[in-house]
Amino acid sequence: MKLAIDQYAHLSSPIHRWDARYKLIGLLTLIFAFAFVEDLRLVPVMLLVVVGLYWLSRLPLEFLTTRLQYPGIFILAMVGILPFLSGETVLWRMGFLTIRQEGSLALILVLSRFLAIFTTGLVLCGTGSFIRLVKAMRSLGLSRILTDMILLVYRYLTELSYQLTTMQHATQLRGFQPLKLNRRNLEIYAALAGSLLVRSYHQSQEVYQAMQLRGYGVTPGSAQAQSRVTLDTYSAIALLITLGVSIGLIGFEVLA
Amino acid sequence: MSEPILNELPKSAIADKTSAIAVGVQVSDLVFSYPHQGIILQNISFTLNLGERVALLGRTGSGKSTLMENLVGLKRPNSGEIQILGTTLGPETLFQVRQQIGFAFQDPNNQLFMPTILEDVIFGPCNYGVPEALAREQADQLLAGFSLSEVAHRSVHELSGGQKRLAALATVLALNPDILILDEPTNGLDPWWRRHLAEILIQLPVQILLIASHDLHWVSRVTQRALVLKQGQIQVDQPTIALLQDRPTLESCGLPPDY
Amino acid sequence: MSEPILNELPKSAIADKTSAIAVGVQVSDLVFSYPHQGIILQNISFTLNLGERVALLGRTGSGKSTLMENLVGLKRPNSGEIQILGTTLGPETLFQVRQQIGFAFQDPNNQLFMPTILEDVIFGPCNYGVPEALAREQADQLLAGFSLSEVAHRSVHELSGGQKRLAALATVLALNPDILILDEPTNGLDPWWRRHLAEILIQLPVQILLIASHDLHWVSRVTQRALVLKQGQIQVDQPTIALLQDRPTLESCGLPPDY
Amino acid sequence: MHISEGLLSAKVCLAGYGITGLITWYSLRKISHSSDPTAGVPKAALLTAAFFVASSIRVPVPPASIHMVLNGLLGAVLDIYAFPAVLVGLLFQAVMFGHGGLSTLGINAVIMGIPALIAAQVFQWHQSLGRHLNRTLSLNLFGFLAGVIGIGLSCLLFLGITILTIPSGFDAATEQTAIRGLTLVHIPLVIVEGIFTSMVVSFLYRVKPELLISSPSSHETSH
Ligand SMILES: Nc1ncnc2c1ncn2[C@@H]1O[C@H](COP(=O)(O)OP(=O)(O)OP(=O)(O)O)[C@@H](O)[C@H]1O
Ligand SMILES: Nc1ncnc2c1ncn2[C@@H]1O[C@H](COP(=O)(O)OP(=O)(O)OP(=O)(O)O)[C@@H](O)[C@H]1O
Ligand SMILES: [Mg+2]
Ligand SMILES: [Mg+2]
């Protein structure tokens, strides 16, 4: 399990240059504006915005396509049957296969929204280091408890999945080869899960101690917590543009 | 310092099993790199013959653990081939080959995942069909041999660092492997245990023993041949004692023998 | 074997801070047991004076780590008192006392909790109000000194065993502690690093250095006084070199000096 | 069992965020009123990570393999941190693997988190209702129930929300057949999850009882 969401954080592009706090507000608003889209006439606009955004971010196309695979299959499995089952107006019929208009349109809408939101999320997370993004959340007022948790989870998700893999390797090296579901096999999996929990609990105690030994949780408002509030004109303009597009999309949806 | 004890291997134990094959482990042109990173092992080739006890030395980060994990099939080389007791390591042969290998990880925590130490020791034998009662009996003996009887019913988290190491070694020895691969087995052990472990290993009827270690003196008592990894290659392949006396070579490999 | 380098401490560094107090750490009648288990430490009393570099020896499971964790307030003794630089350790004084102590755990995994090694090193200084830019600069230097610059932006599980150890030591040294307590710092390090670490520690301007180790030769180069834990008590308190030459005592403590 | 981006209308997404925001706010308020708010952070974070990693264990059920959800147990172990934990865990699943999504984070947290809280409550009954049973039996039983309720309720919420809000209606009959069919398919999975949860509970009870909050062992020693 490689979490390299920010493997392209080092690139330089107009989006990379965008301050993480402004970017967070801007792109999240955009995501919601996309979620609002119900009118099919907005779909091309939405896709155009996203293509532009991704192009600006200079992220390689391969980054998008590889990450799109799993959730893409998933959503297709969820809505792929819509054209065949949903709606009255038959577009096309061959044997027992019927393609219906309402379902097809719904499919197009859902898929485009999915694509737009997914890509925007990827641009948000992929164009800067993840840690920076979390710090931006904190300086925007997200609870310190949550952001500290996010940072630690970020660190330990890879670590623990690595530990799990290694423990599973250790079971294999000692001849564990489960081919069927029985009580003992299930119990061994439960032991793996349990070990992981206990191990991480134990580790969390020592981690907390190690953090305390290095001054955690006592100096509120230390240098780390406050980041300088500078007015970054470039980022502010980028934010205004994004907000403008978002409001435009939502406004059209509400008025039309 | 006492002489390393050569030729004390119970040869009979070896002969009766695989007398036809002389080569135990053969590695040819092995190349390995971690994703998105430079090459760690480049074109490694070597052979371990039956009956050999070999040390794998090298600086921190030189790739010892990585090489060992390749040998037991936990990592897949970019290219190259590994043969274990005549079988080429590959997805289909993995399960079969692993039955003959015992491997102890550098970090003992990874090896101990059952609720108690005792259950951890019988885990392997039970997988290979040893009846539980028998496995338990053998485990009791093994744990007693490692002074762990008292903590046999504790979970890993309640052991000291050295006790964890011993428990991890016990789980591997419980399988009576033909080929034993140990990654820094003395790490965290006190001097008494280092001595005792050396004695145990010297008497163990395994066909091949491969040990990664930073403890040159200790490893020279247990092994007869030493491989040194440097810059992704095996740069030295000598008898261990000869290497230990060859100060310039050692220094050039970053292994000052006084430390 | 080179002579342990005595009296090389930069005394000035010590004198200007706490010239009034001669006693650095004082432990009186400390008793400790884990819940539901026998007593691990019974009636331990000792004093570490400013300027001393002390080894803590003992068999696997003798309670070295437990004692150290008591000293830094990570475990609470059943009874007894611990004074650090004149302050009695207790819930209220804990935070203040800890600012002066650096402690490296036996298992480096627990010490490295930030997403990258670099973040880990600046974590402590930033908490104590060092501006991030400055902390980063110092961290870069420190990491370069430990040959970790290349891996500074990696996460811990992508390091080798020895690299983890070095990174953990770097996070502690980044705090410039007055009292430095290290639990088996050479564990997993190669001989070159063991030598280099000894040099670093000898030159470090700390007031008290306490090291638990199984590496008798190494520890005799870094410390001048040795305490040996046995059966829950400190049974030996001698100059380290004298102890190292006193084979019968060592053997009786389960520490054969050849291993 | 996550709702993907784009599937739901913005209103449902926002409603999800609303409910999630409320419960999170309430949890955080309780946490910061506890004696040492930072003390629980590493524990909650590491266990969150562990739960999400553990839920990736693939258990072979020939010819395929399934994985557990473990949200019932998560609720029981993490207590007031449970809901923030679910939220953070889902954030990572969305960002790192594309399970779920940023716009549906709120609604997904509702789907996973509320059943976790209910299951946690049910699990705690092992101390009151299960008092008369043998300790292991009661732990196993309520562990099983917690597992079943956690995943069962999540499934129902998930199916309900997707089928009711997917744009462009099916006719009612199709909808009902679909719900019934999907529910039937899930029943064996729910039972396996329950058994697995009770096994993990007994593992924890043997190895680290304090992980099961107000654990039976502390109960025992107090008598
Ligand atoms: N999971 C990983 N991802 C990327 N790089 C890794 C990973 N694990 C190890 N490395 C790198 O590979 C190199 C070899 O690591 P390895 O653990 O094999 O060294 P080693 O010889 O066993 O060292 P040590 O004596 O310290 O245990 C190191 O430079 C390390 O940083
Ligand atoms: N969490 C725990 N619960 C119960 N017993 C424990 C726990 N941790 C350690 N012990 C026991 O306490 C004793 C002392 O352990 P400790 O870790 O202090 O030993 P040590 O001297 O550091 O050993 P090593 O050299 O192996 O690290 C051991 O017998 C160990 O089994
Ligand atoms: Mg290694
Ligand atoms: Mg210890």
Side-chain angles (χ1 to χ4, degrees), chain B residues 247 258-259, chain C residues 1-4 216-218 220-221 241 244-245 257:
Chain B
R247 192 173 266 276
D258 295 341
Y259 276 83
Chain C
M1 193 184 312
S2 66
E3 275 265 335
L216 304 183
H217 293 283
W218 182 86
S220 75
R221 291 162 199 235
I241 341 171
L244 208 70
Q245 281 153 3

Side-chain angles (χ1 to χ4, degrees), chain A residues 13-87:
Chain A
S13 82
I15 312 287
H16 282 78
R17 243 176 296 145
W18 197 357
D19 180 286
R21 282 166 299 170
Y22 294 85
K23 184 157 60 184
L24 191 63
I25 301 176
L27 293 185
L28 277 183
T29 321
L30 194 61
I31 283 177
F32 270 92
F34 289 158
F36 261 99
V37 169
E38 309 248 340
D39 191 322
L40 278 169
R41 283 170 297 176
L42 282 180
V43 167
V45 183
M46 174 169 77
L47 291 180
L48 216 63
V49 171
V50 159
V51 170
L53 186 72
Y54 200 78
W55 176 76
L56 272 181
S57 75
R58 305 255 164 83
L59 292 171
L61 196 60
E62 188 208 344
F63 182 56
L64 177 64
T65 48
T66 47
R67 295 202 160 252
L68 207 50
Q69 271 166 17
Y70 174 85
I73 292 170
F74 193 79
I75 192 157
L76 271 181
M78 298 247 343
V79 296
I81 49 159
L82 280 178
F84 304 109
L85 294 181
S86 153

Side-chain angles (χ1 to χ4, degrees), chain A residues 202, chain B residues 150-151 154-165 188-190, chain C residues 32-41 56-69 75 106 183-184 187 212-214 229, chain D residues 208:
Chain A
H202 202 74
Chain B
E150 245 182 71
V151 297
R154 286 205 207 154
S155 86
V156 204
H157 310 282
E158 299 180 346
L159 302 190
S160 81
Q163 289 166 336
K164 281 184 199 171
R165 171 73 56 194
L189 293 187
D190 65 30
Chain C
F32 181 88
S33 64
Y34 286 98
H36 316 294
Q37 262 157 51
I39 285 179
I40 306 282
L41 304 174
L56 182 61
L57 309 175
R59 293 283 311 267
T60 277
S62 59
K64 301 180 295 301
S65 304
T66 308
L67 177 57
M68 290 186 149
E69 288 176 23
K75 300 223 153 86
Q106 183 165 357
D183 199 352
E184 307 202 17
N187 227 339
S213 179
H214 290 307
L229 262 180
Chain D
K208 205 90 209 171

Side-chain angles (χ1 to χ4, degrees), chain B residues 37 58-61 106-107 109 154 158 160-163 184 187-195 198 214 216 218 221 251 254-256 258-259, chain C residues 37 58-61 106-107 109 154 158 160-163 184 187-195 198 214 216 218 221 251 254-256 258-259:
Chain B
Q37 262 157 48
R59 294 281 313 265
T60 276
Q106 185 165 357
D107 183 349
N109 286 312
R154 286 205 207 154
E158 299 180 346
S160 81
Q163 289 166 336
E184 307 202 17
N187 227 340
L189 293 187
D190 65 30
W192 189 91
W193 266 109
R194 291 209 290 276
R195 176 167 68 188
H214 290 306
L216 304 184
W218 182 85
R221 292 163 198 234
E251 286 278 355
L255 304 171
D258 295 341
Y259 276 83
Chain C
Q37 262 157 51
R59 293 283 311 267
T60 277
Q106 183 165 357
D107 184 350
N109 282 314
R154 281 204 210 156
E158 298 180 338
S160 81
Q163 288 167 335
E184 307 202 17
N187 227 339
L189 293 185
D190 66 31
W192 190 92
W193 266 111
R194 291 210 290 274
R195 176 167 68 189
H214 290 307
L216 304 183
W218 182 86
R221 291 162 199 235
E251 286 279 355
L255 305 169
D258 295 340
Y259 276 83

Side-chain angles (χ1 to χ4, degrees), chain B residues 1-119:
Chain B
M1 195 182 311
S2 66
E3 275 265 334
I5 302 161
L6 292 163
N7 301 326
E8 274 217 352
L9 308 176
K11 290 281 178 193
S12 60
I14 297 163
D16 63 24
K17 275 197 182 176
T18 36
S19 50
I21 324 156
V23 172
V25 174
Q26 176 148 30
V27 176
S28 341
D29 285 325
L30 185 130
V31 177
F32 181 88
S33 64
Y34 286 97
H36 314 292
Q37 262 157 48
I39 285 178
I40 305 281
L41 304 174
Q42 35 183 321
N43 290 310
I44 293 214
S45 302
F46 62 91
T47 305
L48 306 182
N49 295 315
L50 291 188
E52 276 193 312
R53 282 144 189 262
V54 183
L56 182 62
L57 309 175
R59 294 281 313 265
T60 276
S62 60
K64 301 180 295 300
S65 304
T66 308
L67 177 58
M68 290 187 148
E69 288 176 25
N70 271 284
L71 287 186
V72 290
L74 295 181
K75 300 220 152 87
R76 287 254 213 106
N78 305 10
S79 65
E81 203 190 70
I82 298 171
Q83 284 204 357
I84 308 268
L85 298 175
T87 312
T88 304
L89 209 61
E92 298 86 38
T93 56
L94 211 55
F95 182 67
Q96 177 213 331
V97 169
R98 279 178 177 166
Q99 299 200 341
Q100 302 169 300
I101 308 187
F103 175 60
F105 286 88
Q106 185 165 357
D107 183 349
N109 286 312
N110 292 328
Q111 201 126 358
L112 304 165
F113 42 79
M114 295 295 279
T116 66
I117 300 302
L118 178 68
E119 282 170 88

